[in-house]
Structures are given as structure tokens and as C-alpha cells.
Amino acid sequence: MALSGRISAVVIVTVFVLSLISPLIVPYDPDAIDLDSLRQPPSFRHFMGTDNKGRDILARILYGGKISISIAVTASIISILIGISAGMLSGYAGGAIDTVVMAVVDLVLSFPAFLLAIGISVIFPPGIYTVMLALCAVGWASFARLIRGQVLSLKEAAFIEAARALGCSSLRVVLVHLIPQCIPLALVMAGLRAGGYILTEAGLSFLGLGAQPPTATWGSMISANRVFINSSPWMVLFPGTMIAVTAICFNLLGDALKEKFDVRT
Amino acid sequence: MAPLLAGITFVTFSLTKALPGDPVYGMVAERSSPEIIEKIRKELGADKSVVRQYAGYVTLLAKGELGRSYFTNREVMADISVKFPNTMRLAFAAMLIAAPLGIFLGFISAKNKGRAADRIITMLSVSGISVPVFWSGLLLMLLFSLRLRYLPPSGTGGIRYLLLPALTLSLPALASLVRVTRVTVLDVIQMPFVRTARAKGLSEAGISLIHVLKNALIPVITVIGLEFGSYLNGAVLTETIFGWDGLGRYAMEGIIKRDYPVIMGCLLIGTIIFISVNLLVDIIYHFIDPRVRLHGSER
């Protein structure tokens, strides 16, 4: 795999592991209000400064990283599973099932994705599960379409014909022969999609539709602190950098996997 | 188009039905009598079957009726028609930045594949699709408005107000146009007709402009249409940051107050704009690429 892809994977894992063990690294509670140290610039006591309630930005960023990365990765995996199931069903069964599944896919894809995610988020109580639901509900459709395309081209391949001639059931053909062929494509899509999900989750949090205060997420930190951008830019700079770096790493990882497996998305 | 519209309205209808709380209570004042509540419920058709309710919903939509805001009691459609031109102005300005620059940079990148220019442009385009617009917008505002004081930080108005939000909104579209242009140009360069053009002694600039770019532009136009969706998505965040009085900020205000008719109205109108733009792109396609006309029936 390309060097950029390896570095990206290391960065993502590092950020996630650091966020899991954050109490060992930062001696501050992410939600603890400290009225003696309001809006402190970065220093040795607070590496990334503090916000307008005296909370340590680094502690909040690490805590938020746990939430953002978990949501993005979990939602990608769930979307892929739904997308593979729908795409396999549609591509392999064909006929009326194919028409119906693809009609639903076209319908989902005809909405501007972020607007639909907002529409879904507002009907449920805000929180991380609502965000995941919104991401999956919007994100599975493009997976399904790609997997269907892959299945359609593989269906006529000689090895599938051979498997059928040997008497494999449809279920066995799908599980043993077709799904393994779709795994590279799914991995590439997952990497690229997780990058997109990081951004969408941050966007929803920015709008107040993500995990609720005082829970820290990168998007909500930017949203809450943006009024202080001129006087205390660190309060906005650091969370945004984390979103950008994580999303860049997921995208580079996806691109590197794409080159390695030589698939087109 | 018609089945798609039916599907879209069905989705927005279902979302509306799934909203928490009874819409009737959102419309009546506190301490209204049960009779008044019952009367409004009848008017809304909430006592009828779901199918009849959906039919009623579509009929209202066809009349351009999106309901009234819970808070201002103004018609959502009237508000949207005031704010819609502002969002379109912003989206077109963003497109004017993104399309030429994206095609140019993508072309340069492909022509220099593997060299430093390609690497730098590729890295910038990955950053472009990875940086959230609400953050890049804030950084641009910090630099150009608050520190350098060249441009106003927020408000709706002329070109000075338009510049920063349009630039912010154009970044993700610009980045994905660079990526698509690069890939398609690399594809077209390998085509036999390019070799033929070179063999008959055309200048490299002539080949690039007439043969490569013309053919590469066709898929790029589709992406320009699809990116319209990203303008609408990004508009909610960008308009909020820059105080631009368009659909996006209107939707944001609706979200904060949980003003459901406003949110659903924006979702529906945004989606209709999106599919209309893509329909338009398909029609343009038909005119500029004779191959689509020939193969159209097979697709």
C-alpha cells in the first residue's frame, strides 16, 4: 500500500487510542468547569488552552475524538452491510426485486445527502444513535448501487458458472463466491465513506443535532466557540484541525486502498 | 421525474408524520378549547386515513402550500421564495469559482502525472474534500474580515458580502472537480484518437484543447450537476456562519427552534432544486454528446 495510506492508518489508530486512554494523558475532566482559568491560551498547563467555561480543550478534543471516530467507523460498517445485502439481492435476484431495490436507491440518492440527514435527525431525540441512524439511512444507497454493478459483471463470470454447474445453491454462490469478490470494493468505499461521515457528523453536531452538551464533539466545540474566534482563535482552530486531519487520513487511506486493489468507485 | 417526485413527497410526508408532538398543538394557542383543537384537526385531515392524508399533502404541495411556521405564523412558501434567490446567487457564485478552477487544476494535474505539480494538487484536493465548510468559512472570516479587515464578516448584500461565503462553499466542489477532471483526462489521453491527432502532427496545445479537454469535459458536466447538491448541503452551514439570508440559514433557524414546517419545507424545496438541476444536466448532455443520443435507449 502507498506510504500515504499507511501513515494515515497509523494517524487514525493513534488518535483513537489516545482518545481511549485520554484520562491517563490529560489530568482534566473534559466537562469539568474551572472558573479560574477561562479562555486561557495554549500553555504548558493546558496544551490547547481552555474554553469560555475553563474546560481543557485537549481533554475535550480527545473525548470528542472517541465519539466522532466511533460514529464514523460504526456507521460505515453498518452502511456497508446494508449496501452489500441490498446490492447482492438486487444484482443476483434481478427482475422485480432488482427494480424495487434500485428504485429505493435512486430515491435516496435524489436527496441532497446532508439535508436528508437533517430531516431524519430532527424527528428523533438528538444523540449519537440518531446521528448514526441518519448517516446509515443516507449512506447505504451508493454502496448498494456499486455492489450491484460488481455482482452484475461477476454473475456471468466463468467461475460462477462453474460453481453453479457443480450444484452450488444460490446462497452458497453468493456467500462463498460473490461476497469475497466484493470485499476490496467495500473496503475502499468504507475508507472514503468514513471520511465523509466524520464531516457529516461534525456538521450535524455543529447544528446542534449531534451528541448533546455538555458532551464534547468536534463539531459542537466549533459551534459553541465560534463567537470567540477573534479573541481566542485556539478554541476553534484545534477542533477544526482534528476534523480535517482525521477526514484527510480516511480519504487518503481510501485512495491508497483503491490503488492497491485497483478498483473504480 | 414523476415517480421520483411521488417518492420524494412520500419520504417528506413520512418524516412529517414521524415528527414528535401533535402538529395541532403547534398551531393553537395555549389553553385552546378541545372543540377548536378538534376543528383544526379536521381541517388538517388528521382524522382521515393515511392514504387520504398523503393525497391531501400532495394536493397542498401542488398549490405551493408548505404550511406555516410554528413561530412566526408566516407561510413557509412565501419565506422560501424570498430567500431562494439569495441562495441561488451564492450557489452560482460558488460554481463560477469552482468549475473553471477545478477543471484547470485537474487538467494540469493529469498532464503532469506523478510530478510535483500533480502531487501538490492532489494533496490540496484531498484536503478540500476533507475540511468542513463551517471551519474553512470561519478561518477565511478570521483572516480576511477580522484580521485584515478587507471584507465584511457577515451580512447579505453585494459582491463584497458574497465573496467569502461563495469561496467557502466552492472549496469541496472545487476539490471533487479536480479529482474527476484528473481521472477523465488521464483516461482520454490514452485513447487512440489522441495518438492519431499526435501522429498527424497537431501541436500539443491543439491536442490538449480540442481533443482531450473537449472529451474529458463530458463526465465533468455531470459532476458539476451533482455538486449542486453539495452547494445545497453546504449552504446550511455556510449561510449560518456568514449570516447570508438564504434557504440554508432559514433551515438552520428552523432546526434551532424545532420549527418543523420550515425544516421539511427546506428539505423538499432543496431536493426539488437538486433533481431539476440534474435533469437539466441530462438534457445538456443529450445535446453535447452524440453518443448519449445513440446509446440513450440502451441505458
Side-chain angles (χ1 to χ4, degrees), chain B residues 23 27 40-41 43 51 53 56 77 111 119 126 139 155 167 201 227 240 243 249 252-253 256 258 289:
Chain B
M27 303 178 80
I40 293 177
R41 189 163 285 160
E43 274 175 26
V51 179
Q53 283 181 44
M77 195 64 196
K111 285 298 256 183
R119 294 231 180 93
V126 172
L139 294 188
L167 188 61
E227 282 306 320
T240 304
R249 203 181 72 160
M252 170 66 182
E253 283 164 2
I256 290 174
R258 288 291 185 275
D289 189 359

Side-chain angles (χ1 to χ4, degrees), chain A residues 114 123 207 230 236 251 255, chain B residues 19 130 135 147 179 233 252:
Chain A
F114 190 59
I123 62 178
L207 295 176
N230 200 19
V236 170
N251 280 316
D255 280 346
Chain B
L19 288 173
S130 308
W135 191 59
R147 292 286 148 91
R179 285 163 72 95
N233 289 329
M252 170 66 182

Side-chain angles (χ1 to χ4, degrees), chain B residues 159-173:
Chain B
I159 185 113
R160 279 167 54 77
Y161 289 93
L162 188 62
L163 216 52
L164 282 183
L167 188 61
T168 305
L169 201 51
S170 73
L171 290 178

Side-chain angles (χ1 to χ4, degrees), chain B residues 41-63:
Chain B
R41 189 163 285 160
K42 271 229 168 68
E43 274 175 26
L44 283 176
D47 54 341
K48 299 195 193 95
S49 73
V50 176
V51 179
R52 301 243 331 249
Q53 283 181 44
Y54 175 62
Y57 174 78
V58 173
T59 320
L60 281 178
L61 287 184
K63 284 190 236 158

Side-chain angles (χ1 to χ4, degrees), chain A residues 103 106-107 109-116 118-124 126 192 195 199 202-204 206-209 212 218-219 222-223 226 229-233 236-241 243-245 247-249 251-252 255 258 264, chain B residues 3-4 6-9 11-12 14-16 18-20 122-123 126-127 129-132 134-135 138-139 141-142 146-147 149 179 183 187 229-230 232-234 236-237 240-241 251-252 255-256 258 260 263-264 266-267 270-271 274-275:
Chain A
D106 284 340
L107 181 58
L109 291 178
S110 65
F111 284 90
F114 190 59
L115 291 187
L116 183 58
I118 290 174
I120 294 170
S121 303
V122 295
I123 62 178
F124 297 102
L192 297 173
L199 292 188
L204 289 173
F206 182 85
L207 295 176
L209 294 169
Q212 292 300 292
W218 295 340
I222 295 179
S223 168
R226 72 186 165 102
I229 184 163
N230 200 19
S231 54
S232 328
V236 170
L237 283 177
F238 290 119
T241 310
I243 300 174
V245 167
I248 288 174
C249 287
N251 280 316
L252 286 176
D255 280 346
K258 186 149 94 180
R264 302 203 87 174
Chain B
L4 205 54
I8 289 164
T9 51
V11 171
T12 51
S14 311
L15 289 175
T16 312
L19 288 173
T122 304
M123 196 57 222
V126 172
S127 314
I129 57 168
S130 308
V131 173
F134 56 89
W135 191 59
L138 282 170
L139 294 188
M141 186 199 281
L142 178 65
L146 302 173
R147 292 286 148 91
R149 297 182 183 277
R179 285 163 72 95
V183 172
D187 265 0
S230 91
L232 293 167
N233 289 329
V236 181
L237 300 162
T240 304
I241 287 172
M252 170 66 182
I255 293 165
I256 290 174
R258 288 291 185 275
Y260 297 118
I263 302 172
M264 291 303 160
C266 290
L267 171 62
T271 308
F274 184 44
I275 61 171

